[in-house]
Amino acid sequence: MKKHLLFIITILLICIVLFCACSATGQYFLFGTFIDLNIEGSGSIKTEKEIASELERLEELFSATIEGSDVWRINYAKANEAVTVSGDTMAALAICKNIYELSGGAFDPTVYPLVKLWKFTADTYTGLPSAPPSVEAINELLSYVGFNDMIMLDETENTVTKSYDEVQIDFGGVAKGYAAKKSADIAQGKTALLNLGGNIVCVGKSYKIGVANPRESDAAYFGSMTVENGFSVSTSGDYERYYEYEDVRYHHIINPKTGYPSGINSSTGGMNEDRLVSVTVISEQFADCDAIATAALILGKENGVALLQSLGLKAVLIDCELNYLLVGNVDFVKK
Ligand code: AMP
Ligand code: MG
């Protein structure tokens, strides 16, 4: 009898160990956002841990607020001082430069001083209504915005040089996509769904992915689509960090040409009719997808669609009346 009991307990323990080894999940708060890792297959616990430590390593390099990070050292360097950065930071900067050029300057990490002025950084954001900054304050900071004029990259020496002391950058629009690509590389050979704050990668099989409803709570979704193995999805929207003041919605994605949140007419202070409220890009180019979604949101309906089409990407765009528009062949189904 005792022997039988021991046998059953052993079998049960083996089952528990096997079950644990076949799937792993992890939740984190990094890059100013929530991260969900779901990995299946043998060795998934080890893979989950490897991805988590890679994400923590990248956060230490990319954060604008962690003292001593690569981005922090660039931001607090003097003009013409060459700052040596890691290969990852240089690779992310090269993506920024490429998407800056492809988007005609809509994607531009040098808007960071304006993101701070509008109080949309993780440490300044409250969501409470407040009057927009003065035109003078916006114009003053705009003189330090413009990636190609403000930031010089030496990709051989891995150094970054600024034109003015005041120039500062922020990887908020590109870091999650870059980190998603790194995570997917680690998860190769497994089946995994990795969600880095709206930057989702499907590894090993296709998944049904929901597009958030830009005007409803987190749980609600607007529609869904099937995303193939090896593809990623990146969403940018005006609903992540925002506040409303006198019927105008001010949000965290800044148009580098005007210094105002995208979709706002800087002359009238009102909202443009062709503004987009959400852009979801589906692509195999994980790292770039994040920056492209941010760029398309800033460009608005006509120019955003033109950018996505010129790059041959698939996308779901949602306008301010909550009508959606598809670019490329997407099997999107509205809820
Ligand atoms: P995402 O969530 O990818 O759309 O990125 C939004 C974040 O990117 C913001 O919270 C800012 O940190 C940063 N950002 C805002 N405006 C721009 C811009 N024009 N170009 C690049 N990054 C931006
Ligand atoms: Mg982005």
Side-chain angles (χ1 to χ4, degrees), residues 107 172-174 176 199 234-236 253 289-295:
F107 183 82
V174 70
K176 290 164 278 173
N199 290 260
S234 279
T235 301
S236 278
I253 298 174
C289 210
D290 184 4
I292 294 166
T294 309

Side-chain angles (χ1 to χ4, degrees), residues 106-109 111-112 115 120 170-174 176 199 235-237 240-241 252-256 290 293-294 298:
F107 183 82
D108 187 345
V111 292
Y112 187 51
V115 179
F120 286 119
D170 148 44
F171 278 168
V174 70
K176 290 164 278 173
N199 290 260
T235 301
S236 278
E240 292 292 346
R241 284 185 194 157
H252 66 143
I253 298 174
I254 308 293
N255 183 340
D290 184 4
T294 309
I298 295 166

Side-chain angles (χ1 to χ4, degrees), residues 120 125 127 238-244 249-252:
F120 286 119
Y125 175 63
D238 71 353
Y239 53 92
E240 292 292 346
R241 284 185 194 157
Y242 73 95
Y243 54 78
E244 278 167 5
R249 175 185 282 242
Y250 299 100
H251 65 93
H252 66 143

Side-chain angles (χ1 to χ4, degrees), residues 22-146:
C22 287
S23 75
T25 57
Q27 281 81 40
Y28 304 89
F29 190 83
L30 293 164
F31 309 108
T33 191
F34 292 99
I35 294 184
D36 267 295
L37 308 176
N38 285 285
I39 299 135
E40 296 166 40
S42 65
S44 52
I45 294 176
K46 186 166 164 270
T47 306
E48 196 274 327
K49 287 208 161 35
E50 272 173 34
I51 295 176
S53 60
E54 173 65 356
L55 296 178
E56 279 155 10
R57 186 185 71 81
L58 291 173
E59 163 95 326
E60 296 278 320
L61 297 174
F62 292 170
S63 166
T65 49
I66 296 178
E67 208 173 314
S69 77
D70 280 359
V71 169
W72 191 91
R73 288 187 302 106
I74 294 169
N75 288 350
Y76 291 97
K78 296 275 171 220
N80 303 317
E81 178 191 331
V83 179
T84 304
V85 296
S86 65
D88 284 303
T89 302
M90 189 50 76
L93 283 163
I95 293 171
C96 292
K97 186 175 170 64
N98 184 32
I99 309 302
Y100 169 82
E101 288 167 2
L102 287 173
S103 67
F107 183 82
D108 187 345
T110 63
V111 292
Y112 187 51
L114 285 146
V115 179
K116 286 202 278 190
L117 178 71
W118 283 93
K119 296 197 168 52
F120 286 119
T121 58
D123 50 343
T124 54
Y125 175 63
T126 61
L128 297 172
S130 75
S134 71
V135 175
E136 293 72 31
I138 291 172
N139 288 340
E140 158 72 16
L141 295 184
L142 273 178
S143 38
Y144 305 111
V145 173

